[in-house]
């Protein structure tokens, strides 16, 4: 800061009366900030650099855990999620910690049995969690019962969420209207909520709608009201100010480097906007600036390769049309790109609201955003004019059965019947609390993982993520080599990479020789494409032998000679037609991966007989499971993959002959 800015800030402080009703702030930088902007790849070592500084600001809470962090840490960062919680507690000792808990989903993507849910909340509390921000993707609070009981038993703060969504451009309509949210707030109070959060995951809430909603809630409940709104549409900052006018108690913000785009409004402009009012935060802008300095210079450079710099605008008004949260939207784009189908994105946008409506107008938040998003992609890529929902994911089937809870409006009857045909649990949907049909899981998980899980924390990693969790535990205890892809990036490597890029742009990657030979007549020009970059490269063959050029000559007509088909290049994309109709080989029919993903498990072994349409392998794509079926009758052969393997689109999963 310049001396003038410092003096100006000091003058503000000297004339700054304490606010009569200061708005409280929860910082999301260490969880939702990096989850929204760079795929939840923030590492504990980088959070430590600012944890003590953030502890001095006066935040109501720091969101440090939950959401996608648990999955991403063990899967992509080789970090123990429990250790992050314990470590950060040692640096930020005064400010309460908050986590995002997906109710009976915990931090995974399905409802877990009651014994897993109870143990998870207990261990989270013991490891240092103070506030449990709890939501259910369907706003079905029956999924709160088990976790809330344990939150209260642990003596912790239960914040109940209402997932905010719309079926109209603005608040209203027959489903998600003011009465709906007021009713949900009353339910949460009856469950013992210590505070209530309006969870606007897609940034859909308009300023005057939030004003009306906060006013209505304050009129019927006495617990604090908390607003969580992503910046995606560009309305969140305006909505925060109107919420403040309406009497909201707590707001969510991020430090500026982790703010805006699909993340949240920044704290610093809000501090200055409320300065000197009866809602003044009381925060020291100089301390916030010091934190930003560290984040900008010592942390963010490590993650710039993950930031989406393809767009000029920091807002996305399309979210007002498709309502897809930013993180899910980026996943959809990446999935389509990997499938060589990015040109289908507009079709996905058109199909998405149709799928959402068919599935009961469910809110789009994890995991329902993934459920709707992946099914939409499946429809666009695999449906035919005479058949919709040709490839239904396992999660859509679970939703139709009732394993996620009750939808706001009934699921399309035809789709529900199709999804539940041959469903293992039964073809009639349930109406009870979902977890009532789930058998206890911990003992089974303990028997499966054996001594690889040293304690309950390890066991809970495996219980929620059997494939990737086991792989992480093998890394953790030295039973498998840690791949370079999950190791941290250092500032030194960032600087080296920046230097290489600088040299490449200047044409200095190869040292120029003073005695470089003159270009010969054999010089050829090649176009080189590297990712999205294009280079024109001149190549001059060395040696005395001139290039051989065959002159065209007339030949007598002859019968064609059979030749071997050329081998496809390693990175070649298998055409969609080949996936839809697997190629018959001399020794059988290849079953190909219709999309990139990870092998969860094979349902059939080599030598097993299968009939056409019978499930053979479960493939995870975008965290959703797809049961892939046999394209023909026969016997399974040629399985060369195993659980945990990552496959590209078109990979041969097995051969059926």
């Amino acid at each position: 800061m310049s001396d003038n800015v410092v003096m100006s800030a000091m003058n503000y402080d000297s004339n700054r009366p304490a606010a009569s009703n200061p708005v409280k702030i929860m910082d999301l930088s260490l969880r939702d900030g990096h989850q929204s902007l760079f795929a939840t790849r923030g590492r504990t070592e980088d959070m430590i650099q600012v944890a003590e500084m953030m502890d001095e600001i006066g935040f109501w809470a720091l969101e440090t855990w939950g959401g996608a962090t648990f999955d991403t840490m063990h899967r992509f960062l080789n970090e123990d999620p429990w250790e992050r919680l314990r470590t950060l507690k040692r640096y930020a000792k005064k400010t309460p910690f908050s986590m995002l808990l997906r109710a009976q989903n915990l931090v995974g993507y399905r409802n877990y049995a009651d014994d897993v849910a109870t143990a998870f909340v207990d261990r989270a509390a013991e490891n240092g969690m103070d506030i449990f921000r709890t939501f259910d993707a369907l706003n079905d609070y029956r999924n709160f019962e088990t976790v809330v009981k344990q939150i209260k038993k642990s003596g912790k703060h239960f914040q109940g969420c209402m997932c905010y969504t719309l079926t109209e451009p603005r608040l209203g309509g027959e489903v998600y209207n003011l009465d709906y949210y007021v009713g949900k707030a009353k339910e949460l109070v009856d469950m013992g909520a210590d505070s209530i959060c309006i969870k606007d995951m897609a940034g859909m809430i308009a300023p005057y709608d939030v004003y009306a909603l906060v006013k209505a809630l304050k009129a019927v409940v006495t617990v604090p009201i908390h607003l969580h709104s992503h910046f995606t549409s560009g309305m969140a900052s305006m909505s925060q100010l109107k919420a403040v006018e309406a009497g909201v108690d707590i707001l969510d913000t991020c430090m500026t480097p982790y703010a805006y785009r699909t993340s949240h409004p920044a704290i610093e402009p809000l501090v200055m906007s409320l300065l000197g009012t009866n809602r003044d935060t009381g925060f020291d802008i100089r301390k916030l600036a010091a934190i930003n300095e560290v984040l900008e210079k010592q942390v963010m450079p490590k993650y710039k390769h993950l930031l989406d710099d393809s767009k000029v605008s920091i807002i996305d008004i399309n979210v007002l049309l498709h309502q897809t949260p930013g993180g899910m939207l980026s996943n959809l784009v990446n999935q389509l790109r990997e499938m060589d189908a990015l040109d289908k994105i507009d079709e996905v946008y058109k199909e998405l609201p149709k799928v959402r409506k068919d599935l009961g107008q469910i809110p789009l938040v994890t995991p329902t955003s993934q459920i709707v998003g992946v099914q939409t992609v499946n429809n666009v890529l695999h449906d035919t004019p005479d058949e919709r929902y040709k490839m239904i994911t396992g999660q859509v089937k679970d939703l139709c059965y009732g394993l996620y809870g009750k939808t706001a409006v009934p699921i399309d009857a035809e789709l529900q019947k199709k999804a539940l045909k041959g469903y293992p649990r039964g073809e009639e949907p349930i109406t009870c609390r979902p977890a009532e049909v789930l058998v206890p899981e911990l003992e089974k998980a303990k028997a499966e993982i054996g001594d690889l899980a040293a304690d309950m924390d390890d066991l809970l990693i495996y219980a929620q993520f059997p494939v990737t969790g086991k792989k992480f535990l093998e890394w953790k205890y030295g039973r498998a080599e840690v791949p370079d892809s999950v190791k941290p990036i250092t500032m030194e490597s960032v600087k080296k990479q920046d230097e290489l890029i600088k040299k490449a742009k200047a044409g200095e990657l190869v040292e120029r020789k003073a005695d470089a030979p003159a270009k010969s007549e054999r010089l050829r020009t090649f176009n080189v494409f590297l990712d999205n970059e294009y280079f024109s490269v001149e190549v001059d063959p060395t040696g005395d032998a001139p290039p051989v050029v065959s002159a065209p000559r007339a030949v007598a007509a002859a019968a064609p000679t059979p030749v071997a088909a050329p081998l496809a290049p390693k990175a070649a994309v298998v055409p969609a037609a080949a996936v839809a109709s697997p190629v018959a080989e001399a020794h059988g029919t290849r079953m190909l991966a219709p999309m990139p993903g990870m092998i969860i498990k094979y349902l059939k072994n080599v030598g097993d007989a299968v009939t056409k349409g019978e499930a053979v392998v479960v493939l995870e794509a975008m965290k959703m499971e797809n049961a892939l079926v046999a394209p023909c009758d026969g016997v399974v052969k040629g399985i060369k993959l195993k659980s945990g393997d990552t496959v590209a689109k078109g990979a041969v999963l097995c051969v059926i002959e």
Side-chain angles (χ1 to χ4, degrees):
M1 276 191 179
S2 68
D3 292 341
N4 289 337
V5 174
V6 172
M7 288 302 297
S8 177
M10 290 176 66
N11 290 335
Y12 274 125
D13 287 345
S14 61
N15 299 314
R16 190 177 183 180
S20 58
N21 182 26
V23 66
K24 297 178 177 65
I25 304 294
M26 182 160 85
D27 178 85
L28 309 182
S29 305
L30 305 186
R31 203 285 299 177
D32 208 356
H34 68 103
Q35 179 170 323
S36 297
L37 293 187
F38 46 97
T40 333
R41 296 302 198 270
R43 290 182 177 272
T44 306
E45 63 184 33
D46 294 318
M47 299 176 184
I48 289 173
Q49 297 188 59
V50 294
E52 288 180 315
M53 301 168 72
M54 295 181 76
D55 198 29
E56 297 298 323
I57 298 298
F59 289 117
W60 179 75
L62 296 173
E63 189 185 45
T64 55
W65 213 59
T69 59
F70 202 96
D71 180 6
T72 304
M73 287 179 69
H74 85 270
R75 188 190 295 239
F76 299 117
L77 306 181
N78 189 31
E79 286 195 30
D80 189 325
W82 302 102
E83 185 57 37
R84 172 175 294 180
L85 185 50
R86 294 190 292 265
T87 298
L88 289 178
K89 266 293 180 182
R90 293 197 292 270
Y91 288 86
K93 300 177 181 178
K94 297 184 293 186
T95 310
F97 279 9
S98 177
M99 76 164 291
L100 184 64
L101 183 71
R102 298 170 183 154
Q104 199 84 22
N105 281 191
L106 305 179
V107 287
Y109 308 102
R110 66 172 176 86
N111 276 345
Y112 297 95
D114 286 337
D115 62 337
V116 177
T118 298
F120 181 85
V121 173
D122 174 61
R123 292 307 304 151
E126 285 295 320
N127 276 287
M129 191 48 61
D130 304 293
I131 299 165
F132 289 79
R133 169 176 281 180
T134 308
F135 81 94
D136 177 71
L138 302 182
N139 287 329
D140 185 345
Y141 295 149
R142 295 176 303 171
N143 288 323
F144 279 28
E145 292 178 14
T146 299
V147 294
V148 168
K149 182 179 180 181
Q150 185 58 45
I151 292 169
K152 291 293 186 179
K153 183 177 179 181
S154 298
K156 303 300 181 178
H157 183 112
F158 160 46
Q159 181 173 92
C161 291
M162 304 181 296
C163 291
Y164 186 85
T165 189
L166 301 171
T167 53
E168 310 290 331
R170 292 279 300 275
L171 181 63
E174 296 181 0
V175 184
Y176 299 110
N177 50 37
L178 205 57
D179 289 341
Y180 173 86
Y181 292 112
V182 169
K184 289 297 176 184
K186 291 178 178 178
E187 286 185 52
L188 291 172
V189 170
D190 290 343
M191 294 191 75
D194 298 297
S195 59
I196 292 174
C197 176
I198 303 166
K199 181 175 171 57
D200 176 26
M201 52 277 177
M204 297 288 299
I205 201 163
Y208 289 99
D209 287 345
V210 76
Y211 182 88
L213 179 55
V214 172
K215 279 286 190 183
L217 295 178
K218 297 292 284 186
V220 296
V221 301
T222 57
V223 298
I225 304 299
H226 193 150
L227 175 63
H228 168 98
S229 181
H230 285 256
F231 190 77
T232 314
S233 71
M235 292 193 293
S237 295
M238 296 182 286
S239 296
Q240 284 189 340
L241 284 179
K242 291 303 293 183
V244 168
E245 290 179 9
V248 78
D249 299 283
I250 314 166
L251 295 175
D252 282 350
T253 63
C254 285
M255 301 301 300
T256 294
Y258 286 11
Y260 302 125
R261 297 189 181 269
T262 55
S263 183
H264 297 263
I267 177 57
E268 299 83 1
L270 183 67
V271 169
M272 299 309 292
S273 298
L274 298 178
L275 193 97
T277 71
N278 71 320
R279 305 304 310 275
D280 191 340
T281 62
F283 290 179
D284 187 335
I285 195 72
R286 293 163 296 187
K287 291 183 178 179
L288 295 171
I291 296 170
N292 285 337
E293 184 88 356
V294 176
L295 294 175
E296 284 280 7
K297 294 183 178 180
Q298 300 178 36
V299 176
M300 289 302 287
K302 298 180 182 179
Y303 302 102
K304 62 185 178 182
H305 64 290
L306 294 168
L307 297 174
D308 181 7
D309 57 0
S310 63
K311 293 183 66 178
V312 174
S313 176
I314 65 168
I315 68 171
D316 180 8
I317 63 165
N318 288 319
V319 74
L320 301 173
L321 306 176
H322 53 64
Q323 297 198 33
T324 308
M328 183 58 204
L329 191 59
S330 62
N331 284 340
L332 285 176
V333 169
N334 288 334
Q335 184 77 357
L336 288 170
R337 183 181 290 115
E338 290 177 3
M339 299 174 72
D340 196 32
L342 195 53
D343 60 314
K344 303 286 188 182
I345 188 66
D346 288 336
E347 293 180 47
V348 170
Y349 288 155
K350 291 177 184 177
E351 177 71 7
L352 201 146
K354 298 176 186 176
V355 174
R356 183 192 180 211
K357 184 178 180 180
D358 288 345
L359 292 176
Q361 290 290 18
I362 53 181
L364 297 179
V365 62
T366 303
T368 51
S369 56
Q370 282 92 335
I371 292 173
V372 172
V374 175
Q375 187 59 57
T376 298
V377 170
N378 283 357
N379 285 6
V380 168
L381 297 183
H382 305 300
D383 283 2
T384 57
D386 59 340
E387 184 180 3
R388 274 173 58 73
Y389 292 99
K390 198 166 185 178
M391 181 184 289
I392 300 177
T393 69
Q395 280 71 22
V396 166
K397 295 177 181 180
D398 291 344
L399 179 72
C400 289
Y401 184 67
L403 276 188
Y404 285 93
K406 184 180 180 182
T407 56
V409 297
I411 294 172
D412 178 80
E414 187 177 336
L415 169 58
Q416 191 169 37
K417 183 178 180 180
K418 182 174 184 178
L420 294 181
K421 184 178 180 180
Y423 184 73
R425 293 178 181 273
E427 298 189 357
E428 287 298 318
I430 59 173
T431 57
C432 62
R433 181 176 73 93
E436 290 179 16
V437 302
L438 301 177
V439 298
E441 299 181 53
L442 279 181
E443 286 303 316
K444 180 174 180 288
K446 189 174 182 180
E448 290 173 349
I449 196 65
D451 63 356
L452 188 55
D455 52 26
M456 180 59 75
D457 291 352
D458 285 347
L459 183 59
L460 286 166
I461 292 174
Y462 174 76
Q464 292 178 86
F465 304 95
V467 178
T468 57
K470 180 180 180 181
K471 188 180 296 185
F472 165 72
L473 293 174
E474 289 172 343
W475 296 340
K476 179 179 177 180
Y477 294 113
R479 299 193 189 182
E481 185 176 353
V482 178
D484 291 339
S485 61
V486 301
K487 294 178 181 177
I489 296 174
T490 64
M491 282 300 295
E492 288 72 20
S493 63
V494 170
K495 290 175 182 177
K496 288 180 181 178
Q497 188 173 16
D498 287 345
E499 283 298 316
L500 281 174
I501 293 172
K502 184 178 178 181
K503 287 183 177 180
K505 289 181 177 179
E508 299 172 353
L509 274 182
V510 178
E511 185 179 352
R512 296 182 183 274
K513 296 182 179 180
D515 57 345
K519 298 176 182 179
S520 78
E521 61 183 15
R522 292 176 291 179
L523 188 72
R524 297 289 183 270
T525 301
F526 293 85
N527 294 330
V528 178
F529 297 89
L530 182 61
D531 292 332
N532 295 322
E533 296 288 335
Y534 155 71
F535 302 91
S536 180
V537 179
E538 293 180 332
V539 177
D540 197 353
T542 60
D544 297 329
V548 176
V549 179
S550 299
R553 59 190 178 89
V555 294
T561 302
V563 296
L567 291 175
K570 189 174 182 179
V573 177
V574 177
V579 176
S581 303
V583 181
E585 294 183 325
H587 299 292
T589 300
R590 293 181 297 167
M591 184 173 176
L592 306 177
M595 63 193 76
M598 181 179 68
I599 300 293
I600 296 298
K601 60 183 175 181
Y602 277 89
L603 303 174
K604 298 292 182 180
N605 298 314
V606 172
D608 287 348
V610 292
T611 57
K612 183 178 179 180
E614 188 176 3
V616 175
V617 59
V618 179
L619 181 74
E620 179 196 85
M622 292 170 59
K623 302 172 184 175
M624 296 291 108
E625 295 181 4
N626 298 272
L628 306 182
V629 300
C632 60
D633 296 344
V635 176
V636 175
K637 305 285 186 182
I639 295 179
K640 301 184 184 301
L641 299 165
K642 62 182 185 305
S643 176
D645 284 349
T646 300
V647 298
K649 178 189 175 185
V652 179
L653 303 176
C654 69
V655 175
I656 299 176
E657 65 177 41

